[in-house]
Amino acid sequence: MTDETIGSVGYRDVPPAQGGAAGRSWWDANAEEYLDEHGDFLGAVDFCWCPEGLRESEAHLLGDLAGRRVLELGAGAAQCSRWLVSRGVEAVATDVSGGMLAAGARLNASTGIAVPLVQADARRLPFADASFDVAFTSFGAIPFVPDAASIHREAARVLRPGGSWVFSVTHPVRWAFPDDPSERGLTAHRSYFDRRPYVETDTSGRVTYAEYHRTLGDHVREVVGAGLAIEDVVEPEWPADNQEVWGGWGPVRGAYLPGTAIFRTRLTG
């Protein structure tokens, strides 16, 4: 949004239906700007887990994917799935935003790597039970809905027994600090336990953007409640050669505070 259309910004409760619906229109409106700003860092055919720059090519968080069917939730322009497909993996990319998927279709055409793109809310996936071996998201879907537990349940539903669900999110501790990549962002200014979402509205009061905070315990309870077992929580350190500033992420804060948490989970049973 431009300054002229922003009504208010801050942390406050909003009706869940309004907050949960805002993500689709926000990403539709901002897809091109987002990719113009971050596209070079993300690449067109690359699998980046987080602003720290951790790549799946070095982390191997999804494990051996030979013969596995993989689903990406909140895929954006499907850079991660495109990287998987380029390596012979059967992958399907989903996102709620038509704008992001349109960008993904253009990248499919320009790279010659055709990733299947499906528009879907991660809380209501249009796939049969037990139809994938692995599901993942890199900062997709989970932060933008008030009911992330439903995403974990859907991931569990479409996984085959023993399947993996891996997701990266903003590290919960970051919510106690200002979203500022400089030294000003190193002083906590709000309670870690304040779960009110960050909300932007337009001048009419309509919710145009909402991002939700969950504590570490909240994430654990939601994952376990979906029948998934946590195998690992990865907290990438900021690499010395990464000078990228991405919102509140950057080398100054990265030297002191974790910015990302990546949960590796598996469907039990």
Side-chain angles (χ1 to χ4, degrees):
M1 287 192 298
T2 64
D3 290 342
E4 291 77 14
T5 58
I6 293 177
S8 67
V9 300
Y11 298 90
R12 63 186 181 88
D13 291 319
V14 294
Q18 292 183 29
R24 178 174 180 172
S25 57
W26 192 92
W27 286 105
D28 282 347
N30 292 279
E32 291 303 319
E33 180 181 353
Y34 176 85
L35 292 171
D36 285 345
E37 184 175 358
H38 302 298
D40 289 344
F41 183 77
L42 294 173
V45 188
D46 202 358
F47 192 142
C48 182
W49 278 109
C50 52
E52 287 84 355
L54 182 68
R55 259 66 182 178
E56 178 62 13
S57 59
E58 58 185 294
H60 307 293
L61 297 180
L62 300 185
D64 182 4
L65 296 178
R68 304 290 183 91
R69 189 168 187 238
V70 180
L71 175 65
E72 182 176 9
L73 306 183
Q79 296 93 331
C80 297
S81 286
R82 197 169 295 106
W83 181 85
L84 293 173
V85 170
S86 75
R87 281 150 179 79
V89 177
E90 182 184 359
V92 177
T94 70
D95 200 278
V96 73
S97 167
M100 290 302 288
L101 292 176
R106 291 192 292 273
L107 289 177
N108 277 356
S110 65
T111 62
I113 302 170
V115 177
L117 304 171
V118 178
Q119 187 168 15
D121 188 320
R123 298 169 291 178
R124 294 178 293 277
L125 295 171
F127 303 108
D129 295 357
S131 52
F132 292 91
D133 300 291
V134 176
F136 76 92
T137 185
S138 172
F139 275 83
I142 292 171
F144 307 109
V145 299
D147 52 339
S150 62
I151 295 176
H152 299 304
R153 289 194 297 268
E154 277 293 89
R157 181 185 66 79
V158 302
L159 284 176
R160 296 173 179 134
S164 297
W165 165 231
V166 185
F167 60 94
S168 61
V169 292
T170 299
H171 198 290
V173 76
R174 282 281 305 277
W175 278 77
F177 296 83
D179 194 28
D180 187 324
S182 73
E183 290 83 356
R184 291 187 298 273
L186 293 173
T187 301
H189 72 142
R190 59 193 301 268
S191 171
Y192 169 79
F193 300 102
D194 183 352
R195 292 170 174 83
R196 291 176 300 168
Y198 169 78
V199 174
E200 296 178 0
T201 66
D202 61 19
T203 52
S204 70
R206 180 178 64 94
V207 177
T208 55
Y209 181 88
E211 188 170 344
Y212 291 84
H213 167 50
R214 294 169 182 91
T215 67
L216 183 62
D218 293 339
H219 283 296
V220 170
R221 283 184 289 275
E222 291 175 346
V223 166
V224 173
L228 297 150
I230 296 175
E231 296 188 321
D232 195 9
V233 179
V234 179
E235 300 167 290
E237 296 186 38
W238 195 273
D241 61 349
N242 183 0
Q243 297 303 307
E244 184 84 3
V245 173
W246 185 321
W249 283 265
V252 174
R253 285 223 297 183
Y256 294 93
L257 292 174
T260 298
I262 308 173
F263 291 77
R264 294 181 62 244
T265 78
R266 190 171 299 278
L267 182 64
T268 57

